Amino acid sequence: MNNKSQRLFVDMDGTLAVFRPVDTLEKLYEKDYFANLEPQMNVIDGIRHIIRNNPNIEVFVLSAVLSDSPYAVPEKNTWLDKYLPEVDADHRLYPVCGESKKEFLKESYGGVRSDDFLLDDYSKNLHEWEPPAKGIKVMNGINGKNGTWTKDKVSIECDGKTFAECVVNIMQRRSQEYDLSNRIPNRPSRGGHR
């Protein structure tokens, strides 16, 4: 880990992988549930673009797992090996489901820094992340209907390069929001980061 790099922590379920609803909690414990999640290719391509073109940004996957599931961590690692091998094992972090991602980093990685960002589809995770760090909500077509997250957002409907550019612009305080409804970037706010 590079202490001088800006860090981007990326959620898996609903962000890198398409969220697959379950009717019972037991389904999350079934073999191959996580291994067979469909990739969200625009997001994956965007993260690859960030890794390749922004050596000043260190990318981590930060994905919650069920502590008593024998499959969650191995299957998520297999999935990442297949779809995003650019994120190595040292950059794959798995807090226990229900634990704050921010608290997990406090205990294991020296805490979050003010220039750290969390890319996540779940507003609760983003609210817990701030402050001192910042969140970016991934609009995946099934979230964002309650309006609880009013800060930076990026849509999965953006192509990979545009997705990456939006995330990097937000991280560099050149804020933009990519709207789901019309698929074009809104103008940056005058105050910079919203």
Side-chain angles (χ1 to χ4, degrees):
M1 285 181 255
N2 183 344
N3 288 333
K4 294 181 181 176
S5 294
Q6 193 171 16
R7 301 185 300 184
L8 174 63
F9 295 89
V10 184
D11 176 53
M12 276 186 79
D13 308 305
T15 301
L16 290 171
V18 175
F19 177 76
R20 189 171 75 195
V22 295
D23 50 2
T24 65
L25 188 62
E26 287 75 28
K27 294 219 171 151
L28 296 175
Y29 287 90
E30 291 177 3
K31 187 173 181 349
D32 296 328
Y33 174 83
F34 293 105
N36 290 326
L37 289 177
E38 182 182 340
Q40 194 64 261
M41 288 311 298
N42 288 352
V43 178
I44 291 170
D45 289 344
I47 298 303
R48 282 188 183 133
H49 192 274
I50 290 170
I51 291 168
R52 276 194 309 264
N53 297 296
N54 298 277
N56 58 321
I57 297 175
E58 188 174 14
V59 175
F60 294 81
V61 169
L62 182 60
S63 181
V65 294
L66 300 164
S67 63
D68 54 347
S69 168
Y71 305 116
V73 170
E75 288 188 11
K76 286 189 177 200
N77 279 326
T78 298
W79 192 94
L80 287 166
D81 288 343
K82 180 176 182 180
Y83 294 109
L84 197 58
E86 294 87 349
V87 177
D88 63 27
D90 291 338
H91 289 81
R92 299 174 186 181
L93 311 176
Y94 300 112
V96 174
C97 193
E99 177 184 14
S100 159
K101 292 180 176 184
K102 180 177 169 181
E103 289 301 311
F104 172 80
L105 289 177
K106 183 191 288 185
E107 295 172 15
S108 304
Y109 293 89
V112 296
R113 304 186 307 228
S114 61
D115 64 345
D116 285 343
F117 278 80
L118 175 64
L119 185 65
D120 203 310
D121 66 309
Y122 189 35
S123 294
K124 180 179 183 291
N125 291 339
L126 296 167
H127 286 294
E128 290 175 354
W129 189 256
E130 296 191 359
K134 303 284 187 231
I136 304 169
K137 183 159 184 156
V138 174
M139 303 303 291
N140 59 18
I142 60 171
N143 64 354
K145 295 173 179 54
N146 296 328
T148 59
W149 184 256
T150 58
K151 299 177 185 177
D152 292 304
K153 303 171 187 170
V154 63
S155 171
I156 60 162
E157 294 186 22
C158 296
D159 64 79
K161 183 177 181 201
T162 303
F163 187 95
E165 289 171 352
C166 182
V167 170
V168 171
N169 283 340
I170 291 168
M171 291 179 73
Q172 295 175 348
R173 304 290 194 253
R174 296 188 307 255
S175 180
Q176 292 184 348
E177 176 181 317
Y178 282 75
D179 189 287
L180 278 170
S181 60
N182 57 19
R183 299 183 191 168
I184 59 171
N186 293 328
R187 295 275 180 224
S189 63
R190 286 187 189 185
H193 187 72
R194 290 184 280 191

